[in-house]
Amino acid sequence: MSQTAQSQNLPAAVKERSPFISALVDFWKAFRKNKPAIIGAVIVFFFILLAVFANIIAPQGINNQNINIRLEPPSAQHWLGTDSFGRDIFSRIVFGARLSLRVGFFAVIGSIIFGTFLGVIAGYFGKVIDTVISRFFDILLAFPSILLSIAIVSILGPSLNNALVAIAIVNIPVFGRLVRSRVLTVKEEEYIMAARSIGMGNTRIIFNHILPNSFAPIIVQGTLNIATAILDAAGLGFLGMGAQPPQPEWGTMLSDSRQYITDAPWTVLFPGLAIILVVIGFNLMGDGLRDALDPRMKN
């Protein structure tokens, strides 16, 4: 049978499949083979569901205080117990997922936008521009991330939104250097030279060729950095520099309950466990994305 006859016998969905759909199918086939990555994705999806449907899932008000039931252990009425103000810990953890994921996602999105912008400019144009931007990245990377975040929040003032801004600023050089290194490689490819030879402008080359070929490492690094951002937000909250009471942010909950770690360990155990699970989930999923998107990992 000829190739023409074989192609006519193919299902219409196969013949009309776009390159994007084909790439998506290949990605899913590679990703689902990674069992730890699937576990991580399930954990992340679980916490996203908690955040989205917090108003339905949480059985109690997050700020409803009842001193008569303060520091009660887990029970049928309060699944994870109550804190020092008699507030339901399960409800606060559920709403805390909304706060922590918001910080993680928006901080990383901000870092990606500014880091990618600076990285593309530095890598594509080079020379003095590259030197100035690279030294800016080096200055930011010279400070430990948590200390730089504390310094920025100290200037802006303690709050969850300011902690989000601080975490975004701290992570800019991570994405900036990643994109810069990718641009330095891609801009030397033959198709970029061909685009220049036909008179294509720098802006079109960047948006049509440079950025599309740099998305894969950005997605992987972004997924991993969401976990870091959530951990940093919890650290700032624990130090009193992030979310302020009575916001049910996990780090703030740990800070408020640390003095009861021996008398009421559940007040510390469950918020800490939530932080651990969501960070592990994003890390496992990020590793799976790296393996699925990196062509060097494919046979």
Side-chain angles (χ1 to χ4, degrees):
M1 183 180 295
S2 64
Q3 292 183 351
T4 303
Q6 290 177 350
S7 63
Q8 291 176 351
N9 294 329
L10 290 175
V14 175
K15 290 191 290 185
E16 297 176 0
R17 178 181 291 175
S18 66
F20 173 77
I21 298 299
S22 297
L24 198 61
V25 171
D26 292 340
F27 159 76
W28 173 244
K29 288 180 179 178
F31 183 80
R32 69 182 182 182
K33 293 179 181 178
N34 192 325
K35 300 304 180 184
I38 294 296
I39 294 174
V42 170
I43 294 173
V44 170
F45 185 67
F46 170 74
F47 278 98
I48 290 176
L49 287 179
L50 287 184
V52 172
F53 298 104
N55 292 323
I56 300 174
I57 297 174
Q60 307 285 341
I62 57 174
N63 292 321
N64 293 345
Q65 300 182 17
N66 187 349
I67 301 300
N68 295 325
I69 57 171
R70 65 187 299 270
L71 300 179
E72 275 197 355
S75 62
Q77 185 176 3
H78 301 281
W79 298 344
L80 303 183
T82 61
D83 63 9
S84 58
F85 292 96
R87 298 173 297 192
D88 184 68
I89 293 178
F90 176 75
S91 299
R92 291 179 62 79
I93 288 179
V94 169
F95 276 91
R98 181 178 292 181
L99 295 179
S100 295
L101 291 177
R102 188 187 78 182
V103 171
F105 281 113
F106 283 102
V108 169
I109 289 173
S111 301
I112 289 175
I113 292 173
F114 289 99
T116 300
F117 174 74
L118 295 175
V120 167
I121 292 177
Y124 188 80
F125 294 101
K127 299 181 180 179
V128 178
I129 296 177
D130 184 19
T131 302
V132 173
I133 294 177
S134 295
R135 296 297 79 77
F136 170 69
F137 291 159
D138 292 340
I139 291 173
L140 291 180
L141 290 172
F143 299 92
S145 60
I146 189 65
L147 291 182
L148 185 57
S149 299
I150 291 173
I152 295 173
V153 173
S154 298
I155 295 172
L156 300 177
S159 73
L160 186 64
N161 290 333
N162 290 341
L164 188 155
V165 172
I167 295 169
I169 293 174
V170 167
N171 285 298
I172 286 176
V174 175
F175 294 96
R177 297 185 71 173
L178 175 66
V179 173
R180 174 184 174 273
S181 64
R182 183 62 181 168
V183 171
L184 289 174
T185 301
V186 172
K187 76 173 185 178
E188 301 300 330
E189 298 289 343
E190 293 181 356
Y191 61 87
I192 300 295
M193 299 179 184
R196 290 197 187 101
S197 66
I198 62 175
M200 185 177 289
N202 292 329
T203 303
R204 288 188 61 191
I205 290 176
I206 290 173
F207 282 97
N208 292 350
H209 298 291
I210 299 292
L211 286 178
N213 286 283
S214 303
F215 277 147
I218 292 175
I219 292 172
V220 174
Q221 188 63 46
T223 305
L224 295 171
N225 269 58
I226 290 176
T228 304
I230 292 174
L231 200 58
D232 288 344
L236 291 173
F238 183 81
L239 296 173
M241 306 294 289
Q244 300 298 302
Q247 287 181 303
E249 197 273 325
W250 295 336
T252 305
M253 292 174 66
L254 285 176
S255 179
D256 293 341
S257 302
R258 56 186 172 180
Q259 58 183 313
Y260 306 107
I261 190 171
T262 55
D263 299 329
W266 57 88
T267 60
V268 177
L269 174 63
F270 294 116
L273 192 60
I275 296 172
I276 293 172
L277 284 176
V278 75
V279 169
I280 290 176
F282 275 107
N283 282 331
L284 291 176
M285 191 171 71
D287 289 339
L289 290 175
R290 180 197 59 202
D291 295 343
L293 294 173
D294 190 347
R296 294 171 297 180
M297 303 295 293
K298 300 177 181 179
N299 295 327

